[in-house]
Amino acid sequence: MSVQTENLETAAEHPALAADMVTKPFGRDRTIGIAIGVILFVAAIALPFVTKSFFVFQVTMVLIYAIAILGLNLLTGFNGQFSLGHAAFYAIGAYTAAILMDKAEISYVWTLPVAGIVCFAFGFVFGLPALRLEGIYLALATFALSVATPQILKLSPLEHWTGGVQGIVIMKPDAPFGLPLNQDQWLYFFTLIVTVLLFWLAHNLLKSRTGRAMMAIRDNPIASRSMGINNSIYKALTFGLSASYTGIAGALGAIVVQFVAPDSFTVILSIALLVGLVVGGVGWIPGAFFGGLFVLFVPNIAEQFSKGLSGAFYGIILMGLMFLMPAGVAGFIAMLRRKVLRHEG
Amino acid sequence: MELLIQQVVAGIATGAIYACVALAVVMIYTAIGHLNFAQGEMAMFSTFIAWQLITWGVPYWVAFALTVAISFVGGVVIERLIFHPLANAPILSHVVLFIALLTILTSTAGFIWDFSIKTFPSPFGSAPLFGSSLISAHQAGMMGITLVLLIALFFFFRFTRVGLAMRAAADNPVSARLVGVRVSWMIALGWGMAAAIGAVAGMLVAPVVFLEPNMMLGILVYGFAGAVLGGLTSPGGAVLGGFLVGIIENLAGTFIPVIGGELKLTIALCIIVLVLVLKPGGLFGRATVQRV
């Protein structure tokens, strides 16, 4: 009973903190992580030369979703704020890129930083009222944001820029410097470079003073405040940063899919990102890749079971995953590692 | 002025829908402390069951009662099978489970009854009430049922042993368990009641918005807005909040250009954000106090 009581209290005190959140599933030993990293890197370089074009496109989308999920993870996993509204920031990023390329004819490369900055501003502004909200209330406000987004994008006064219901079609860029790559291969490498860069930045940020402050706020807002951390500024900035990551993902998504339309950015996308986050593991950076894989491939797998009931199978797979690994892939790996270590020692 | 009055009355009529849904939202929130994102889909599924019964020739009120009973059992079963085993899982896992439930219900409903729009009968008829064009008989009946439901709930929670036990279980699970309340069954009961109220809401809403698997998403957002406006812990507040949201929506639609037709959901968003920022407890809710 006493154990249960303690659990209840921890859960009540830190609603955002997953009870068994795993930040280092491989433990402190870095060799495994580095070995896996090297293998993945080689595989990532070789991939577009050995597989079909469509598969390359799919993997590119996995990377894009991974960036978006990483953005959400920065907010939820490392700062303890919920969001069911990240499709809105993804949409803003996508539209920024599309409008810049379509109306201002700016090169696709430069749309990414612009999308990042624009989304940072939006995220920061939305993060200010969100400061006063916690847990389920924040989930609610952001949920409403993402339900409202398609309507705002369809708004007739904005139609000149957004193209209304029709959306905007953009051109696929060619590989620069005469590289012997087709468009899909080039976009894959471009996305890969951006992904590596963004993950590296996030990794370093979280190891810094700022990152520790973010996590301190997640773990105990009162203690962090008494240690001199300005909770409000950090929370609003994290919201902006998170939106910025997701917005860059959105911009990349627009470039790769060559099309933006209001109905691609419904609440379904927000939900998919959240599901990806939880499946990958809240508070574990590489979990975003597993999340990206889930978001892209599991709906297709569900469709293969049955066309009409694909949604039901998707739901069942999701429930099964939650029962098997309530703390996502990160928790699953940590559990395996514990078992292996126990057998060895 | 006449336009204003007309719009307010029309707002009250649509507000009745939101009030019903908001009531169901608050019910489950008090029982389990979570917002159920699958609430709308549960209501939709119940409504389809009612539609099926009526199509088979069951009289309306028999079908109504049967649907409420089936939904109650369904709610309890969902809690026992899916949420009870993961009761101690992190809150995000619960949200994901809600999402899984939502997709399963939508997809199954679409599979069994297909996605075409169906009409749903109203027990009150659709004729205007007392010959006035302001409000139809169905809308009046809808308001009536919502209020009856609210009063019944009030008496249930205020004056029955089970109601008291449910409140205790929600308020302080550990102490409630120590004095012999079976907390986990109280939660299951809360799920059952929320599903039953959702079923009532769905059956009342369906004649107005028509029946199809995705009918509830927009309404759920308004229901959330109503619940937040009234206070997530107060059933009465939620009902009033629902009515207010209906009125605000109609007035904004009439008197503010552009926003009217195109940005209806954004109004709900603005209401939610404004209320949460200005008065997080809602109009009648308790502010949550945290022990440090």
Side-chain angles (χ1 to χ4, degrees), chain B residues 116-190:
Chain B
S116 65
I117 293 171
K118 297 176 176 59
T119 53
F120 193 84
S122 161
F124 310 105
S126 55
L129 186 72
F130 310 132
S132 88
S133 59
L134 284 179
I135 188 164
S136 75
H138 175 75
Q139 286 165 328
M142 191 157 73
M143 277 186 253
I145 290 189
T146 309
L147 291 179
V148 169
L149 207 58
L150 180 66
I151 294 164
L153 275 176
F154 173 78
F155 278 99
F156 173 76
F157 279 112
R158 192 79 181 76
F159 296 114
T160 65
R161 276 184 74 85
V162 183
L164 182 66
M166 280 182 73
R167 280 193 292 150
D171 216 39
N172 190 337
V174 179
S175 305
R177 186 76 198 89
L178 286 174
V179 294
V181 174
R182 301 181 70 176
V183 172
S184 89
W185 273 103
M186 291 303 130
I187 294 174
L189 199 60

Side-chain angles (χ1 to χ4, degrees), chain A residues 109-157:
Chain A
V109 180
W110 294 110
T111 63
L112 296 190
V114 178
I117 292 166
V118 169
C119 287
F120 183 88
F122 271 100
F124 187 79
V125 170
F126 196 83
L128 288 177
L131 281 176
R132 300 196 50 178
L133 310 180
E134 273 180 359
I136 211 74
Y137 290 94
L138 188 55
L140 192 61
T142 49
F143 178 74
L145 173 70
S146 76
V147 173
T149 303
Q151 284 197 334
I152 299 175
L153 291 173
K154 283 177 201 164
L155 198 62
S156 52

Side-chain angles (χ1 to χ4, degrees), chain A residues 152-178:
Chain A
I152 299 175
L153 291 173
K154 283 177 201 164
L155 198 62
S156 52
L158 298 176
E159 204 167 307
H160 173 65
W161 290 286
T162 60
V165 186
Q166 307 289 325
I168 307 169
V169 178
I170 43 186
M171 299 295 288
K172 218 174 207 178
D174 286 316
F177 319 123

